[in-house]
Amino acid sequence: QGPWTPPAGKYTDPEDWCNPPDRGLGVAPTTTTGDPYVDAFLWIKVPGESDGGCYRGTGGPQDPERHMVDPAAGVWFPQQAAELIRFAKPAITRQTCDVDYTVNGSWPDGANVQVWIKNTGTKPIDGWALRWTFAGPQSIAQIWSASASTSGGSVTATNLSWNKLIKPGERLTFGFLTKTVKGAAPEPLLFTLNGKPCTSR
């Protein structure tokens, strides 16, 4: 939400780009831009990752604006992440689903994966479609407790007739075997349930 303006004359090098304080997230990544010449809005950095030690022209080791030692570059920065959410415009709403994606075992050309979906909202989920994109050259060889369709590297797993309902606070699971090219690929980073993003771990 706009650049940080350092206090005038306070620092010899304010490093206004480095973990700027009191900033908020802006428009969330989307392909709905309202402009035929703009394909998408996206964040080019993971929000909440540190820029590294910010000394702002001082000798360090603390960040004089935050009065703490900033995490190393690329390391999760809880305090800054909380600021980005607190000052976000538009406001960030709490996700209503949580995904636990666990690789139970892997071999040179595949893996055994179990996925748990939890309803963290206040309303039942009546019918679900979980979508993700594999982070490498993978495909589903076999799936159980769900059905799956693919488009390129993107996968959509949908409920069966007997497990379509997820009550608030409850979770369900399905699993699959992957076919992987050249060893096990990294786990997916982004999941959406019925088109809305989920937290994942």
Side-chain angles (χ1 to χ4, degrees):
Q1 283 298 308
W4 172 56
T5 302
K10 185 175 181 180
Y11 303 115
T12 57
D13 180 6
E15 297 177 318
D16 55 359
W17 56 271
C18 192
N19 296 331
D22 301 328
R23 300 297 87 199
L25 293 172
V27 176
T30 180
T31 55
T32 305
T33 66
D35 187 326
Y37 297 102
V38 178
D39 292 328
F41 299 137
L42 74 156
W43 295 330
I44 59 173
K45 176 189 172 188
V46 176
E49 283 188 352
S50 177
D51 293 318
C54 307
Y55 306 144
R56 310 190 194 283
T58 68
Q62 290 194 340
D63 180 338
E65 276 298 305
R66 296 183 175 277
H67 308 289
M68 62 181 293
V69 176
D70 295 336
V75 173
W76 184 247
F77 194 168
Q79 294 87 343
Q80 187 184 50
E83 290 175 1
L84 292 172
I85 293 171
R86 184 166 65 250
F87 298 113
K89 294 181 183 178
I92 300 297
T93 57
R94 187 176 184 273
Q95 310 301 344
T96 58
C97 58
D98 179 74
V99 174
D100 186 352
Y101 183 102
T102 302
V103 178
N104 289 322
S106 62
W107 46 93
D109 60 352
N112 183 319
V113 178
Q114 183 174 19
V115 180
W116 287 90
I117 305 172
K118 183 175 182 179
N119 181 351
T120 57
T122 58
K123 298 179 180 179
I125 297 172
D126 190 6
W128 51 268
L130 183 71
R131 188 172 188 270
W132 71 90
T133 300
F134 282 126
Q138 298 182 80
S139 60
I140 291 182
Q142 181 183 350
I143 188 168
W144 51 93
S145 299
S147 60
S149 60
T150 59
S151 177
S154 296
V155 180
T156 301
T158 54
N159 63 268
L160 302 179
S161 59
W162 54 270
N163 64 354
K164 64 181 295 188
L165 185 67
I166 315 176
K167 296 179 180 179
E170 293 187 350
R171 64 180 193 155
L172 59 77
T173 188
F174 66 92
F176 56 89
L177 300 177
T178 66
K179 183 177 181 181
T180 306
V181 178
K182 295 182 180 179
E187 298 177 10
L189 297 177
L190 176 65
F191 297 88
T192 60
L193 189 71
N194 297 342
K196 296 182 179 180
C198 298
T199 56
S200 62
R201 52 193 170 90

